[in-house]
Amino acid sequence: MKYARYILLIALLALLIGGSYWARNKSRDEVCTEVKVEIENAEGANFVTATYVIEELERKHIFVNNKPVWQINVEEIEKVLLQSQYIETAECMFVNGGTLKIKVSQIVPVMRVFDSTQSYYVNKQGKRMTASASCNTDVPIVQGSFTNSFTPQRMLPLIQYVEQDPALKALVTMYCINDTNNIIIIPSIKGHVINIGNCSNYESKFKKLQLFYNKVMPVKGWMYYDTISVKWDHQIVATRRDKLVPVVKVYNPEEDELPDDIGTMQVSDNKAPANTTTTENTNAKPPSSTPTATAGENKGDAKKPPEQSSPPPNKKKEDKPKDKKTT
């Protein structure tokens, strides 16, 4: 009985080795007859299709149809597909003999970035995907000029925090990056913008914003402020919309070349301005050309009338009467 058990175990071991050897030889004779592509998150925006997956493999010179199974490296296929900017995960395996099953998930964008020179999507892992007119998805917009030290991936924790809160998700529509310390949020409520400073302590900043919305805005009105800043600790700074801005006249050198305005020119003391309208008095007498002597003055000092013209030469010149004194 004891020897029978050993004999049975040896027989089973030989059968297992022989079966694996037979299966290996048979698999070497099998060829890939079919490729099945399965896309997990195909709903919504279709960045990835089955045709795209096959074409992506062919662009990398990987052809699997009618090729022996043992010559197909499934790990290499997965590595090639993950290099695509539109594919997030990839899994490859053989099922039912010569059927190659490729299971992929397309990228899920969480924001669309408008850089100074280009536009692209970014997923939650920070992977970029070039935006195209044929594929569009509704995600928050991030606009700004980014650098190597401040990349759009720095915005991911803030955006994911906002997307997890239904109230904040409905409030925030766009992010404008002026610089690393002035991140401006464009809310769905018209009339103002929100300055949250940098990407740190955003939980506390949104709590202060909610307090301001509940306590101040119902009293002042939603159009009273144009900027609400929550970037500083323990305070909220709001800027009024109707600010009085002093008007300062700036010197313009071109004004020196303009012609003089006749209406504003100064005139002499004895002349009326050219643009002054005068009314004539018909009852007034014209002024006398001879000045009138004042009381106490000698009449002889007054100006004499002009002398008469000389008589013709054929007439006798009359003696000029002497002036009589007046008393």
Side-chain angles (χ1 to χ4, degrees):
M1 190 69 180
K2 184 177 181 181
Y3 293 103
R5 291 181 179 178
Y6 287 123
I7 295 173
L8 181 59
L9 290 175
I10 293 172
L12 291 176
L13 182 59
L15 182 62
L16 180 62
I17 295 174
S20 61
Y21 181 76
W22 174 83
R24 181 179 298 180
N25 290 335
K26 185 177 180 180
S27 63
R28 291 180 65 89
D29 297 334
E30 288 182 346
V31 295
C32 180
T33 58
E34 184 183 7
V35 178
K36 295 180 65 175
V37 179
E38 180 182 346
I39 302 173
E40 290 184 343
N41 51 350
E43 65 279 356
N46 294 324
F47 300 115
V48 179
T49 61
T51 303
Y52 172 80
V53 173
I54 300 301
E55 292 177 351
E56 190 71 14
L57 293 177
E58 292 178 352
R59 278 194 291 267
K60 300 296 184 178
H61 305 286
I62 297 178
F63 303 93
V64 296
N65 285 328
N66 301 322
K67 189 174 182 180
V69 173
W70 66 273
Q71 294 183 2
I72 299 175
N73 189 346
V74 293
E75 294 180 356
E76 182 183 0
I77 294 176
E78 293 176 357
K79 184 178 179 180
V80 168
L81 293 177
L82 289 176
Q83 293 176 358
S84 171
Q85 61 177 344
Y86 299 103
I87 296 177
E88 194 167 274
T89 62
E91 185 179 359
C92 184
M93 67 186 73
F94 278 101
V95 295
N96 299 330
T99 301
L100 178 64
K101 182 179 180 181
I102 301 176
K103 187 177 181 180
V104 299
S105 62
Q106 61 183 355
I107 189 173
V108 180
V110 296
M111 65 178 174
R112 182 169 182 177
V113 179
F114 285 89
D115 207 336
S116 57
T117 58
Q118 56 186 334
S119 173
Y120 51 89
Y121 291 101
V122 178
N123 70 344
K124 60 183 179 181
Q125 284 82 23
K127 187 175 182 178
R128 294 173 47 169
M129 181 188 73
T130 304
S132 62
S134 59
C135 298
N136 190 15
T137 182
D138 187 14
V139 292
I141 295 175
V142 179
Q143 182 181 12
S145 299
F146 297 95
T147 61
N148 294 331
S149 59
F150 187 80
T151 62
Q153 285 74 8
R154 293 273 298 274
M155 296 288 295
L156 287 175
L158 172 62
I159 292 178
Q160 292 177 3
Y161 176 81
V162 171
E163 292 297 308
Q164 292 173 1
D165 191 317
L168 292 178
K169 183 178 180 180
L171 175 67
V172 178
T173 60
M174 184 176 178
Y175 302 85
C176 295
I177 315 299
N178 293 342
D179 54 65
T180 56
N181 291 319
N182 289 282
I183 299 176
I184 307 299
I185 291 179
I186 310 299
S188 56
I189 303 173
K190 295 183 179 179
H192 65 276
V193 297
I194 306 164
N195 189 343
I196 65 170
N198 53 29
C199 294
S200 62
N201 299 326
Y202 44 80
E203 299 93 342
S204 174
K205 294 174 182 177
F206 282 117
K207 288 181 180 179
K208 290 189 294 184
L209 178 65
Q210 184 179 3
L211 181 64
F212 190 84
Y213 278 171
N214 294 334
K215 299 295 183 181
V216 179
M217 284 303 205
V219 178
K220 292 295 185 179
W222 294 94
M223 299 297 293
Y224 190 76
Y225 300 105
D226 60 2
T227 304
I228 301 172
S229 180
V230 293
K231 61 187 295 185
W232 293 285
D233 295 335
H234 310 297
Q235 62 178 338
I236 302 173
V237 179
T239 306
R240 289 176 52 184
R241 180 179 304 280
D242 53 347
K243 299 183 293 293
L244 296 178
V245 180
V247 179
V248 180
K249 182 174 178 58
V250 181
Y251 170 71
N252 185 5
E254 296 182 358
E255 292 182 354
D256 296 340
E257 303 297 331
L258 298 177
D260 295 332
D261 187 0
I262 300 178
T264 59
M265 290 176 59
Q266 294 183 354
V267 297
S268 61
D269 295 336
N270 296 332
K271 295 182 180 180
N275 61 344
T276 303
T277 303
T278 58
T279 303
E280 183 179 1
N281 187 0
T282 56
N283 297 328
K285 295 181 180 181
S288 176
S289 60
T290 304
T292 305
T294 59
E297 289 181 347
N298 190 355
K299 292 184 178 181
D301 297 334
K303 185 178 180 180
K304 295 180 180 181
E307 296 180 357
Q308 297 181 357
S309 59
S310 301
N314 56 353
K315 291 184 180 182
K316 186 177 179 181
K317 185 177 181 180
E318 296 179 358
D319 295 333
K320 185 178 179 180
K322 295 182 180 180
D323 293 336
K324 296 181 179 181
K325 286 187 178 181
T326 59
T327 58

